[in-house]
Amino acid sequence: MEVDTETGRVRVRRIAASHDVGKAINPKNVIGQIKGGVAMGVGMALMEEFIPGKTDSFVDYLIPTTQDVPEVIPILVEDREPTGPFGAKGVGEPALIPTVAAVMNAIADAMGQRVYSLPASLERIVEAARKKKE
């Protein structure tokens, strides 16, 4: 994690994402779902913000590109689910949930100051850094 408190730029370098997927019937697909969820989580944590009446298009609503998504180290935990098909569990959106908290906690750790609103935009990072100095 890199946080520039002067410009507000945050760069997530790497995320290890461990998920209990039951039986991974198609491991490449499961890894893709995990990587996609992490990308969504990074977007939610750092750039995606809908403002009613102002956000009209993707010009105003930022989503992560390949340049914004960190290296993802997927770790598949296979604890079979007896009620799931062939022992599988769902893996779609769950990868998103811990990513947002992990990014926000890493920012707080790096800055020594917590940002309480999502996304942790450039302006919010700079404001948090200013408050810390006071």
Side-chain angles (χ1 to χ4, degrees), residues 48-91:
E48 296 182 32
E49 183 170 29
F50 176 79
I51 302 170
K54 182 180 177 197
T55 309
D56 295 325
S57 69
F58 284 120
V59 170
D60 304 311
Y61 187 87
L62 303 176
I63 58 174
T65 68
T66 57
Q67 297 299 306
D68 302 307
V69 179
E71 173 190 2
V72 179
I73 303 166
I75 302 165
L76 304 184
V77 176
E78 293 189 274
D79 182 22
R80 295 176 67 92
E81 171 57 48
T83 62
F86 305 104
K89 296 177 185 175
V91 71

Side-chain angles (χ1 to χ4, degrees), residues 61-126:
Y61 187 87
L62 303 176
I63 58 174
T65 68
T66 57
Q67 297 299 306
D68 302 307
V69 179
E71 173 190 2
V72 179
I73 303 166
I75 302 165
L76 304 184
V77 176
E78 293 189 274
D79 182 22
R80 295 176 67 92
E81 171 57 48
T83 62
F86 305 104
K89 296 177 185 175
V91 71
E93 303 302 316
L96 158 70
I97 298 165
T99 301
V100 178
V103 169
M104 297 304 286
N105 283 329
I107 290 170
D109 186 57
M111 291 181 58
Q113 177 72 23
R114 189 164 292 281
V115 175
Y116 290 98
S117 297
L118 291 177
S121 62
L122 302 172
E123 297 82 9
R124 290 178 177 141
I125 294 291
V126 169

